[in-house]
Amino acid sequence: MNPLIEPLLIVGLVVITLSSLSSALSLLFEVRFWKNRRRGQQQPISGSGYPSVTVIMPVRGLDQDLRNNIASVLNQDYPGPRNYIFVLDDENDPAYNVITNLLSNRNVNAKVLINRGGRSKGEALAFGLGEATGDVVVLVDSDAQVHELWLKNLVEALMRGFGAATTYRFYLPLRRLSLGSVLRASFNMIGITAMQNPTARFTWGGSSAVWRWLIEKWSIRDYLPYYLSDDYVITHFVHREGLGIEFVPESLVLTLEDIGLREAFSWAVRQLWYVRVYGFKGFMLYAASYTLYAITLPMAAALSIINPYVSILGVLPYLLGMVKDYVRVSGIRGLNKYYRERITRRYAVLLALASVPNVYFSWLAIVKTTFTNSINWRGRVFTVNDAVRLMREKPLP
Ligand SMILES: Nc1nc2c(ncn2[C@@H]2O[C@H](COP(=O)(O)OP(=O)(O)OP(=O)(O)O)[C@@H](O)[C@H]2O)c(=O)[nH]1
Ligand SMILES: [Mg+2]
């Protein structure tokens, strides 16, 4: 026997065992998460009236389903007073007319602000916060589509004693299904994993509620323009206050968009770039776990030459990963009719299958991100140096 074979076999078996164990644990965790939700561990709401809310949406450019997104955010069944602030950088932005048109047909308390010369989402948010009057501030992105109880669910989590309430997004194709859109939807679900875990949880800027007193107390407005990730800033201050962040899957937002494979890859790299810049440890953890999954299959294939049973063991982590994603999407479908009607069972199966190519898609995106200096975000280019320089100008206390 070749002297190299024995150590190779040992390394291979260790890799396969580790990735099988880790996928089995993730699956177990996933099943328990949805089971607990179904049991309804929600505590009743204390206090009487619902707090007043200011919903802030920064907008730049025309999202693919912008009109429906904004209409859904305006069309809320919320028992308390609410008002809306849209922040654009320029009234020539094509989204300006879409928003003013929608508002002219509706009886809602809303204003459209122009942060002239604004250079980023963070600047737009800071500008909008300066005009917020509600006891609660809810931030929402222009690519989010929500159901009627979205706002109420988020605010109720604050009323139960949390400092912030967050949710996450789920991608759906708008007109046609493509490899790019399915891979992006699959990649995106890693964010749900983070939300399910209180240590990794963050206030996702795409849809989060925060008490305004907390924003004022820590002068969060002053920090936002210096960070490309509002998630990072707000999460930091909620923790500084010693309060918890609640994850509200019942208010998951849908993003209906079509995207090609190449664009989906650049999108994934941009998402990872933020993690690399603002949460390097998390990025390393992410890189390590995806590397483990990515090498499992070739390792099993190589070892199957020595022992064919190893190949059976080698596909186990991928099978468990598929089942986990199916359980997850089924859990989301089970939340309420809104999700069940829009997310088909066929799409759930497709996402489960996509979890396998997504291992390689994600891993390649991680490798690319490691060597990516600049990103293009809605037509604005930001480099690592820009981000670091800005962060140093206004470090978080
Ligand atoms: N006013 C203003 N809004 C912005 C700017 N950049 C982004 N936005 C808005 O900020 C929100 C988040 O932007 P997205 O491009 O969706 O960012 P993201 O959610 O990190 O990225 P995706 O995953 O691609 O959705 C959206 O509502 C955008 O319209 C900007 O420079 N100015
Ligand atoms: Mg977005």
Side-chain angles (χ1 to χ4, degrees):
M1 187 155 125
N2 187 324
L4 273 179
I5 287 186
E6 201 174 320
L8 196 79
L9 191 67
I10 294 172
V11 172
L13 284 176
V14 168
V15 165
I16 295 169
T17 310
L18 277 179
S19 58
S20 299
L21 269 177
S22 131
S23 344
L25 282 176
S26 308
L27 173 58
L28 201 74
F29 185 83
E30 194 68 36
V31 171
R32 273 189 28 203
F33 178 84
W34 294 105
K35 223 166 137 185
N36 287 342
R37 296 257 22 130
R38 266 203 305 278
R39 261 194 225 132
Q41 72 313 35
Q42 308 286 31
Q43 287 134 28
I45 294 161
S46 56
S48 49
Y50 278 71
S52 57
V53 182
T54 299
V55 179
I56 304 181
M57 183 190 283
V59 189
R60 178 170 164 85
L62 281 183
D63 289 278
Q64 287 179 29
D65 208 18
L66 184 68
R67 179 174 287 276
N68 289 328
N69 297 348
I70 294 180
S72 74
V73 168
L74 293 172
N75 187 23
Q76 288 299 302
D77 181 356
Y78 182 70
R82 67 191 148 111
N83 68 306
Y84 292 84
I85 298 178
F86 297 89
V87 191
L88 288 83
D89 302 337
D90 184 345
E91 55 268 269
N92 292 321
D93 189 309
Y96 183 80
N97 284 338
V98 175
I99 300 170
T100 47
N101 266 335
L102 271 170
L103 291 177
S104 66
N105 297 328
R106 252 162 252 260
N107 184 20
V108 281
N109 182 353
K111 51 185 168 188
V112 184
L113 303 180
I114 304 297
N115 178 33
R116 222 170 297 286
R119 289 167 301 182
S120 66
K121 176 188 181 186
E123 291 188 8
L125 286 179
F127 192 76
L129 282 173
E131 300 276 323
T133 50
D135 292 332
V136 170
V137 171
V138 172
L139 308 178
V140 63
D141 283 354
S142 54
D143 51 3
Q145 207 161 110
V146 299
H147 57 72
E148 287 179 359
L149 294 175
W150 160 77
L151 191 59
K152 184 166 175 266
N153 291 341
L154 284 175
V155 177
E156 283 181 353
L158 295 191
M159 293 166 78
R160 286 193 198 95
F162 288 91
T166 187
T167 186
Y168 205 66
R169 72 187 152 206
F170 186 87
Y171 276 102
L172 281 175
L174 178 61
R175 289 185 190 88
R176 59 183 179 87
L177 200 62
S178 72
L179 185 60
S181 53
V182 174
L183 281 174
R184 169 162 74 169
S186 175
F187 175 99
N188 175 65
M189 286 207 292
I190 186 78
I192 298 181
T193 308
M195 291 307 179
Q196 288 167 330
N197 178 344
T199 326
R201 191 174 298 158
F202 58 95
T203 55
W204 176 58
S207 171
S208 279
V210 193
W211 289 109
R212 194 162 62 86
W213 64 259
L214 202 150
I215 291 175
E216 302 292 340
K217 176 175 170 184
W218 293 96
S219 308
I220 292 180
R221 262 182 74 197
D222 299 343
Y223 290 88
L224 287 170
Y226 294 88
Y227 291 81
L228 296 178
S229 164
D230 49 285
D231 315 15
Y232 180 65
V233 176
I234 298 176
T235 303
H236 174 86
F237 286 110
V238 179
H239 289 156
R240 272 306 304 268
E241 185 59 38
L243 288 174
I245 300 169
E246 174 70 319
F247 172 44
V248 187
E250 291 77 8
S251 279
L252 273 175
V253 312
L254 301 180
T255 293
L256 286 93
E257 261 178 34
D258 295 324
I259 193 166
L261 187 57
R262 211 179 269 269
E263 284 171 284
F265 188 72
S266 316
W267 170 88
V269 169
R270 180 164 64 79
Q271 301 298 316
L272 289 165
W273 189 91
Y274 298 128
V275 185
R276 181 190 138 195
V277 171
Y278 295 106
F280 192 66
K281 267 197 226 145
F283 181 73
M284 292 305 287
L285 198 73
Y286 194 56
S289 71
Y290 271 87
T291 304
L292 179 71
Y293 286 128
I295 61 173
T296 300
L297 201 59
M299 200 73 112
L303 293 182
S304 67
I305 301 168
I306 310 166
N307 185 336
Y309 291 110
V310 179
S311 59
I312 303 171
L313 208 61
V315 294
L316 189 64
Y318 300 91
L319 283 177
L320 293 172
M322 279 199 263
V323 177
K324 186 198 84 183
D325 278 3
Y326 186 76
V327 168
R328 177 172 289 179
V329 182
S330 304
I332 297 171
R333 292 183 75 238
L335 286 170
N336 67 38
K337 196 162 147 260
Y338 177 80
Y339 300 109
R340 208 158 35 250
E341 279 176 1
R342 285 159 181 83
I343 306 166
T344 60
R345 186 164 287 141
R346 203 178 126 235
Y347 191 64
V349 172
L350 206 60
L351 277 188
L353 294 173
S355 68
V356 179
N358 177 47
V359 168
Y360 293 93
F361 178 79
S362 298
W363 188 73
L364 287 175
I366 290 166
V367 174
K368 175 89 197 295
T369 308
T370 312
F371 303 103
T372 295
N373 179 44
S374 67
I375 50 150
N376 185 319
W377 184 16
R378 297 204 180 213
R380 300 190 192 282
V381 176
F382 299 98
T383 67
V384 175
N385 277 348
D386 292 336
V388 172
R389 182 178 42 77
L390 279 169
M391 209 173 355
R392 291 213 174 116
E393 275 179 46
K394 193 87 182 157
L396 297 179

PDB file of all heavy atoms in Angstrom, residues 63 121 141-144 169 171 184 204-206 253 255 257 267 270-271 377-378, ligand 2:
ATOM      1  N   ASP A  63     -36.134  50.176  -8.090  1.00  0.00           N
ATOM      2  CA  ASP A  63     -36.091  48.738  -7.843  1.00  0.00           C
ATOM      3  C   ASP A  63     -37.082  48.088  -8.787  1.00  0.00           C
ATOM      4  O   ASP A  63     -38.065  48.715  -9.191  1.00  0.00           O
ATOM      5  CB  ASP A  63     -36.450  48.448  -6.386  1.00  0.00           C
ATOM      6  CG  ASP A  63     -35.359  48.897  -5.438  1.00  0.00           C
ATOM      7  OD1 ASP A  63     -34.398  48.144  -5.266  1.00  0.00           O
ATOM      8  OD2 ASP A  63     -35.452  50.024  -4.914  1.00  0.00           O
ATOM      9  N   LYS A 121     -26.341  55.449   1.655  1.00  0.00           N
ATOM     10  CA  LYS A 121     -27.536  55.068   2.401  1.00  0.00           C
ATOM     11  C   LYS A 121     -27.434  55.594   3.838  1.00  0.00           C
ATOM     12  O   LYS A 121     -28.399  56.107   4.392  1.00  0.00           O
ATOM     13  CB  LYS A 121     -27.686  53.540   2.404  1.00  0.00           C
ATOM     14  CG  LYS A 121     -28.860  53.076   3.239  1.00  0.00           C
ATOM     15  CD  LYS A 121     -28.896  51.560   3.414  1.00  0.00           C
ATOM     16  CE  LYS A 121     -30.130  51.186   4.256  1.00  0.00           C
ATOM     17  NZ  LYS A 121     -30.168  49.755   4.599  1.00  0.00           N
ATOM     18  N   ASP A 141     -35.997  48.942   3.457  1.00  0.00           N
ATOM     19  CA  ASP A 141     -35.379  49.164   2.143  1.00  0.00           C
ATOM     20  C   ASP A 141     -36.418  49.182   1.031  1.00  0.00           C
ATOM     21  O   ASP A 141     -37.487  48.565   1.147  1.00  0.00           O
ATOM     22  CB  ASP A 141     -34.369  48.061   1.848  1.00  0.00           C
ATOM     23  CG  ASP A 141     -33.061  48.260   2.600  1.00  0.00           C
ATOM     24  OD1 ASP A 141     -32.907  49.301   3.259  1.00  0.00           O
ATOM     25  OD2 ASP A 141     -32.200  47.356   2.527  1.00  0.00           O
ATOM     26  N   SER A 142     -36.035  49.828  -0.056  1.00  0.00           N
ATOM     27  CA  SER A 142     -36.954  49.972  -1.181  1.00  0.00           C
ATOM     28  C   SER A 142     -37.155  48.674  -1.959  1.00  0.00           C
ATOM     29  O   SER A 142     -38.024  48.591  -2.819  1.00  0.00           O
ATOM     30  CB  SER A 142     -36.441  51.063  -2.125  1.00  0.00           C
ATOM     31  OG  SER A 142     -35.111  50.779  -2.513  1.00  0.00           O
ATOM     32  N   ASP A 143     -36.353  47.639  -1.668  1.00  0.00           N
ATOM     33  CA  ASP A 143     -36.545  46.371  -2.380  1.00  0.00           C
ATOM     34  C   ASP A 143     -37.341  45.366  -1.548  1.00  0.00           C
ATOM     35  O   ASP A 143     -37.367  44.179  -1.861  1.00  0.00           O
ATOM     36  CB  ASP A 143     -35.193  45.771  -2.823  1.00  0.00           C
ATOM     37  CG  ASP A 143     -34.187  45.695  -1.694  1.00  0.00           C
ATOM     38  OD1 ASP A 143     -34.534  46.046  -0.549  1.00  0.00           O
ATOM     39  OD2 ASP A 143     -33.039  45.285  -1.964  1.00  0.00           O
ATOM     40  N   ALA A 144     -37.980  45.870  -0.481  1.00  0.00           N
ATOM     41  CA  ALA A 144     -38.727  44.963   0.401  1.00  0.00           C
ATOM     42  C   ALA A 144     -40.225  45.022   0.126  1.00  0.00           C
ATOM     43  O   ALA A 144     -40.797  46.103   0.012  1.00  0.00           O
ATOM     44  CB  ALA A 144     -38.469  45.342   1.850  1.00  0.00           C
ATOM     45  N   ARG A 169     -34.771  38.978   4.700  1.00  0.00           N
ATOM     46  CA  ARG A 169     -35.483  38.969   3.416  1.00  0.00           C
ATOM     47  C   ARG A 169     -35.426  37.568   2.803  1.00  0.00           C
ATOM     48  O   ARG A 169     -34.587  36.745   3.137  1.00  0.00           O
ATOM     49  CB  ARG A 169     -34.853  39.971   2.464  1.00  0.00           C
ATOM     50  CG  ARG A 169     -33.540  39.490   1.981  1.00  0.00           C
ATOM     51  CD  ARG A 169     -32.744  40.450   1.180  1.00  0.00           C
ATOM     52  NE  ARG A 169     -31.373  40.046   1.428  1.00  0.00           N
ATOM     53  CZ  ARG A 169     -30.333  40.814   1.355  1.00  0.00           C
ATOM     54  NH1 ARG A 169     -30.462  42.089   1.044  1.00  0.00           N
ATOM     55  NH2 ARG A 169     -29.138  40.351   1.593  1.00  0.00           N
ATOM     56  N   TYR A 171     -35.726  35.976  -1.161  1.00  0.00           N
ATOM     57  CA  TYR A 171     -35.780  36.346  -2.584  1.00  0.00           C
ATOM     58  C   TYR A 171     -36.719  35.467  -3.388  1.00  0.00           C
ATOM     59  O   TYR A 171     -36.715  34.243  -3.243  1.00  0.00           O
ATOM     60  CB  TYR A 171     -34.377  36.239  -3.207  1.00  0.00           C
ATOM     61  CG  TYR A 171     -33.539  37.473  -2.973  1.00  0.00           C
ATOM     62  CD1 TYR A 171     -32.550  37.494  -2.007  1.00  0.00           C
ATOM     63  CD2 TYR A 171     -33.757  38.625  -3.719  1.00  0.00           C
ATOM     64  CE1 TYR A 171     -31.784  38.637  -1.787  1.00  0.00           C
ATOM     65  CE2 TYR A 171     -32.998  39.770  -3.512  1.00  0.00           C
ATOM     66  CZ  TYR A 171     -32.018  39.765  -2.543  1.00  0.00           C
ATOM     67  OH  TYR A 171     -31.279  40.896  -2.340  1.00  0.00           O
ATOM     68  N   ARG A 184     -28.969  33.096  -5.846  1.00  0.00           N
ATOM     69  CA  ARG A 184     -28.968  34.231  -4.931  1.00  0.00           C
ATOM     70  C   ARG A 184     -29.904  33.977  -3.744  1.00  0.00           C
ATOM     71  O   ARG A 184     -29.564  34.241  -2.599  1.00  0.00           O
ATOM     72  CB  ARG A 184     -29.372  35.529  -5.627  1.00  0.00           C
ATOM     73  CG  ARG A 184     -29.608  36.614  -4.587  1.00  0.00           C
ATOM     74  CD  ARG A 184     -29.595  37.987  -5.136  1.00  0.00           C
ATOM     75  NE  ARG A 184     -30.795  38.288  -5.885  1.00  0.00           N
ATOM     76  CZ  ARG A 184     -31.106  39.511  -6.279  1.00  0.00           C
ATOM     77  NH1 ARG A 184     -30.294  40.517  -6.014  1.00  0.00           N
ATOM     78  NH2 ARG A 184     -32.198  39.730  -6.958  1.00  0.00           N
ATOM     79  N   TRP A 204     -30.956  43.955  10.893  1.00  0.00           N
ATOM     80  CA  TRP A 204     -30.807  44.047   9.437  1.00  0.00           C
ATOM     81  C   TRP A 204     -31.468  45.340   8.956  1.00  0.00           C
ATOM     82  O   TRP A 204     -32.671  45.551   9.169  1.00  0.00           O
ATOM     83  CB  TRP A 204     -31.439  42.814   8.782  1.00  0.00           C
ATOM     84  CG  TRP A 204     -31.402  42.885   7.289  1.00  0.00           C
ATOM     85  CD1 TRP A 204     -30.277  43.022   6.521  1.00  0.00           C
ATOM     86  CD2 TRP A 204     -32.515  42.853   6.414  1.00  0.00           C
ATOM     87  NE1 TRP A 204     -30.644  43.067   5.206  1.00  0.00           N
ATOM     88  CE2 TRP A 204     -32.006  42.979   5.109  1.00  0.00           C
ATOM     89  CE3 TRP A 204     -33.892  42.733   6.592  1.00  0.00           C
ATOM     90  CZ2 TRP A 204     -32.813  42.987   3.986  1.00  0.00           C
ATOM     91  CZ3 TRP A 204     -34.700  42.737   5.479  1.00  0.00           C
ATOM     92  CH2 TRP A 204     -34.168  42.862   4.194  1.00  0.00           C
ATOM     93  N   GLY A 205     -30.654  46.173   8.296  1.00  0.00           N
ATOM     94  CA  GLY A 205     -31.137  47.490   7.883  1.00  0.00           C
ATOM     95  C   GLY A 205     -32.306  47.451   6.904  1.00  0.00           C
ATOM     96  O   GLY A 205     -33.033  48.433   6.760  1.00  0.00           O
ATOM     97  N   GLY A 206     -32.510  46.323   6.257  1.00  0.00           N
ATOM     98  CA  GLY A 206     -33.583  46.207   5.281  1.00  0.00           C
ATOM     99  C   GLY A 206     -34.965  46.230   5.900  1.00  0.00           C
ATOM    100  O   GLY A 206     -35.950  46.559   5.238  1.00  0.00           O
ATOM    101  N   VAL A 253     -39.424  39.888   4.886  1.00  0.00           N
ATOM    102  CA  VAL A 253     -39.823  40.662   3.709  1.00  0.00           C
ATOM    103  C   VAL A 253     -39.456  39.870   2.450  1.00  0.00           C
ATOM    104  O   VAL A 253     -38.518  39.079   2.463  1.00  0.00           O
ATOM    105  CB  VAL A 253     -39.167  42.072   3.679  1.00  0.00           C
ATOM    106  CG1 VAL A 253     -39.309  42.757   5.020  1.00  0.00           C
ATOM    107  CG2 VAL A 253     -37.708  42.010   3.259  1.00  0.00           C
ATOM    108  N   THR A 255     -38.231  39.953  -1.481  1.00  0.00           N
ATOM    109  CA  THR A 255     -37.672  40.801  -2.533  1.00  0.00           C
ATOM    110  C   THR A 255     -37.924  40.096  -3.847  1.00  0.00           C
ATOM    111  O   THR A 255     -37.412  38.996  -4.077  1.00  0.00           O
ATOM    112  CB  THR A 255     -36.173  41.069  -2.305  1.00  0.00           C
ATOM    113  OG1 THR A 255     -36.040  41.856  -1.128  1.00  0.00           O
ATOM    114  CG2 THR A 255     -35.568  41.851  -3.470  1.00  0.00           C
ATOM    115  N   GLU A 257     -37.289  40.011  -7.522  1.00  0.00           N
ATOM    116  CA  GLU A 257     -36.333  40.540  -8.501  1.00  0.00           C
ATOM    117  C   GLU A 257     -35.819  39.424  -9.389  1.00  0.00           C
ATOM    118  O   GLU A 257     -35.667  38.292  -8.933  1.00  0.00           O
ATOM    119  CB  GLU A 257     -35.123  41.115  -7.737  1.00  0.00           C
ATOM    120  CG  GLU A 257     -35.137  42.611  -7.554  1.00  0.00           C
ATOM    121  CD  GLU A 257     -33.938  43.085  -6.753  1.00  0.00           C
ATOM    122  OE1 GLU A 257     -32.847  42.500  -6.864  1.00  0.00           O
ATOM    123  OE2 GLU A 257     -34.107  44.052  -6.005  1.00  0.00           O
ATOM    124  N   TRP A 267     -23.322  40.364  -6.694  1.00  0.00           N
ATOM    125  CA  TRP A 267     -24.153  40.710  -5.537  1.00  0.00           C
ATOM    126  C   TRP A 267     -23.653  39.969  -4.293  1.00  0.00           C
ATOM    127  O   TRP A 267     -23.504  40.563  -3.229  1.00  0.00           O
ATOM    128  CB  TRP A 267     -25.614  40.349  -5.844  1.00  0.00           C
ATOM    129  CG  TRP A 267     -26.509  40.442  -4.655  1.00  0.00           C
ATOM    130  CD1 TRP A 267     -27.182  41.544  -4.218  1.00  0.00           C
ATOM    131  CD2 TRP A 267     -26.800  39.395  -3.717  1.00  0.00           C
ATOM    132  NE1 TRP A 267     -27.873  41.243  -3.064  1.00  0.00           N
ATOM    133  CE2 TRP A 267     -27.652  39.931  -2.737  1.00  0.00           C
ATOM    134  CE3 TRP A 267     -26.419  38.052  -3.602  1.00  0.00           C
ATOM    135  CZ2 TRP A 267     -28.125  39.182  -1.658  1.00  0.00           C
ATOM    136  CZ3 TRP A 267     -26.893  37.307  -2.536  1.00  0.00           C
ATOM    137  CH2 TRP A 267     -27.743  37.883  -1.586  1.00  0.00           C
ATOM    138  N   ARG A 270     -20.516  41.461  -2.975  1.00  0.00           N
ATOM    139  CA  ARG A 270     -20.753  42.717  -2.247  1.00  0.00           C
ATOM    140  C   ARG A 270     -21.266  42.436  -0.831  1.00  0.00           C
ATOM    141  O   ARG A 270     -20.837  43.054   0.132  1.00  0.00           O
ATOM    142  CB  ARG A 270     -21.751  43.600  -3.020  1.00  0.00           C
ATOM    143  CG  ARG A 270     -22.050  44.918  -2.327  1.00  0.00           C
ATOM    144  CD  ARG A 270     -22.704  45.919  -3.272  1.00  0.00           C
ATOM    145  NE  ARG A 270     -24.001  45.491  -3.751  1.00  0.00           N
ATOM    146  CZ  ARG A 270     -25.135  45.582  -3.056  1.00  0.00           C
ATOM    147  NH1 ARG A 270     -25.112  46.103  -1.847  1.00  0.00           N
ATOM    148  NH2 ARG A 270     -26.265  45.176  -3.567  1.00  0.00           N
ATOM    149  N   GLN A 271     -22.166  41.476  -0.702  1.00  0.00           N
ATOM    150  CA  GLN A 271     -22.686  41.120   0.626  1.00  0.00           C
ATOM    151  C   GLN A 271     -21.543  40.658   1.534  1.00  0.00           C
ATOM    152  O   GLN A 271     -21.454  41.056   2.689  1.00  0.00           O
ATOM    153  CB  GLN A 271     -23.718  39.980   0.529  1.00  0.00           C
ATOM    154  CG  GLN A 271     -24.929  40.285  -0.336  1.00  0.00           C
ATOM    155  CD  GLN A 271     -25.748  41.451   0.183  1.00  0.00           C
ATOM    156  OE1 GLN A 271     -26.008  41.540   1.364  1.00  0.00           O
ATOM    157  NE2 GLN A 271     -26.122  42.345  -0.704  1.00  0.00           N
ATOM    158  N   TRP A 377     -22.116  49.882  -5.437  1.00  0.00           N
ATOM    159  CA  TRP A 377     -23.416  49.774  -4.756  1.00  0.00           C
ATOM    160  C   TRP A 377     -24.343  50.834  -5.339  1.00  0.00           C
ATOM    161  O   TRP A 377     -24.181  52.014  -5.090  1.00  0.00           O
ATOM    162  CB  TRP A 377     -23.218  49.978  -3.246  1.00  0.00           C
ATOM    163  CG  TRP A 377     -24.465  49.794  -2.438  1.00  0.00           C
ATOM    164  CD1 TRP A 377     -25.626  49.199  -2.830  1.00  0.00           C
ATOM    165  CD2 TRP A 377     -24.663  50.198  -1.076  1.00  0.00           C
ATOM    166  NE1 TRP A 377     -26.533  49.208  -1.798  1.00  0.00           N
ATOM    167  CE2 TRP A 377     -25.970  49.807  -0.708  1.00  0.00           C
ATOM    168  CE3 TRP A 377     -23.855  50.840  -0.130  1.00  0.00           C
ATOM    169  CZ2 TRP A 377     -26.490  50.052   0.553  1.00  0.00           C
ATOM    170  CZ3 TRP A 377     -24.377  51.080   1.125  1.00  0.00           C
ATOM    171  CH2 TRP A 377     -25.687  50.686   1.453  1.00  0.00           C
ATOM    172  N   ARG A 378     -25.305  50.364  -6.106  1.00  0.00           N
ATOM    173  CA  ARG A 378     -26.252  51.235  -6.814  1.00  0.00           C
ATOM    174  C   ARG A 378     -25.521  52.382  -7.517  1.00  0.00           C
ATOM    175  O   ARG A 378     -25.880  53.549  -7.370  1.00  0.00           O
ATOM    176  CB  ARG A 378     -27.308  51.776  -5.847  1.00  0.00           C
ATOM    177  CG  ARG A 378     -28.145  50.673  -5.252  1.00  0.00           C
ATOM    178  CD  ARG A 378     -29.495  51.120  -4.783  1.00  0.00           C
ATOM    179  NE  ARG A 378     -30.198  49.939  -4.241  1.00  0.00           N
ATOM    180  CZ  ARG A 378     -31.506  49.728  -4.309  1.00  0.00           C
ATOM    181  NH1 ARG A 378     -32.286  50.589  -4.876  1.00  0.00           N
ATOM    182  NH2 ARG A 378     -32.045  48.642  -3.812  1.00  0.00           N
TER     183      ARG A 378
HETATM  184 MG    MG B   2     -31.616  45.463  -0.338  1.00  0.00          MG
END
